Amino acid sequence: MATKIRLQRGGRKGHAIYSIVTADVRAPRDGKCIEKIGTYNPNTTPATINLNFDRALYWLETGAQPTDTARYILKSEGVYMMKHLRGGVKKGAFDEAACQQKFDAWKQAKVAATEALGKKAAEDKKAAAAKNLEEEKKVNEAIAKKVADKKAAAAAAKAEAEAAEAAANNEEVAAEATEAEAAPAETEAPAEA
């Protein structure tokens, strides 16, 4: 029986989560599988992979053929590396302890590289946020300046209007005072006659 290591779709519409399974080549994608060996969630950043390493290695060594995506996942988790190292042990190039030591060194280098990428991504995100904040502050300052100019212009116009109104009131008061001074002189003149 020809077996494949492939992804079986699950989850909801627009938010797929995959099971990594071994299945008969003739079985439908979401149909019956021989064994579930892990899960793959591409919706997280970075993608989350939970894999039963020993079972995946077993199926690879027994001849199961992975699909392209499954091959990528198995390579990223080190299953292919361990298969390669075990081949060296079978040929007598080195012993099992050296095989495990080489695999652990590879895994540590991979984890360090992943952490470095994560730190770099976090720093880039922080720098982008700081840049956006500075740009937003500049925009807010420009808006505040426009508002202040508008308020100053409105205040100046209001002050001019009040000054004009005060001047008009002063003129009216002066005119009334002049009329009042002229009016008593007129009223006194007929009294003498």
Side-chain angles (χ1 to χ4, degrees):
M1 172 172 71
T3 56
K4 271 199 173 284
I5 298 175
R6 64 184 180 200
L7 300 180
Q8 190 176 54
R9 193 179 194 286
R12 65 179 195 274
K13 182 179 178 181
H15 191 78
I17 298 174
Y18 299 93
S19 297
I20 304 168
V21 299
T22 55
D24 187 354
V25 174
R26 297 165 292 182
R29 179 193 74 180
D30 297 335
K32 187 175 178 182
C33 66
I34 298 169
E35 182 181 3
K36 179 180 174 183
I37 58 175
T39 58
Y40 170 62
N41 184 359
N43 302 310
T44 60
T45 303
T48 307
I49 300 170
N50 296 322
L51 186 68
N52 185 339
F53 188 87
D54 296 329
R55 293 306 293 168
L57 185 61
Y58 165 79
W59 282 107
L60 266 183
E61 288 178 339
T62 55
Q65 295 297 314
T67 60
D68 292 337
T69 307
R71 182 178 295 113
Y72 170 77
I73 292 169
L74 295 176
K75 281 184 180 179
S76 70
E77 291 296 305
V79 177
Y80 269 93
M81 180 69 169
M82 183 56 91
K83 180 183 176 193
H84 172 71
L85 292 173
R86 279 196 177 175
V89 170
K90 286 180 186 174
K91 290 180 183 176
F94 43 84
D95 62 345
E96 189 68 36
C99 169
Q100 190 62 42
Q101 186 179 11
K102 287 183 179 186
F103 180 75
D104 290 340
W106 176 84
K107 192 72 170 175
Q108 287 177 354
K110 183 175 182 345
V111 167
T114 304
E115 287 177 357
L117 283 174
K119 285 181 183 178
K120 185 176 184 292
E123 289 173 2
D124 290 345
K125 187 175 181 180
K126 201 174 203 182
K131 182 181 176 187
N132 288 343
L133 182 63
E134 288 299 319
E135 289 176 359
E136 189 174 337
K137 281 182 180 178
K138 288 179 183 176
V139 169
N140 287 344
E141 287 173 3
I143 291 171
K145 186 177 178 185
K146 285 182 183 178
V147 169
D149 291 344
K150 205 174 202 182
K151 284 184 179 179
K158 186 176 179 182
E160 286 178 18
E162 287 176 359
E165 187 178 316
N169 285 342
N170 287 342
E171 288 177 9
E172 287 178 16
V173 169
E176 287 176 8
T178 314
E179 287 177 12
E181 288 175 7
E186 292 176 6
T187 56
E188 290 176 11
E192 293 176 2

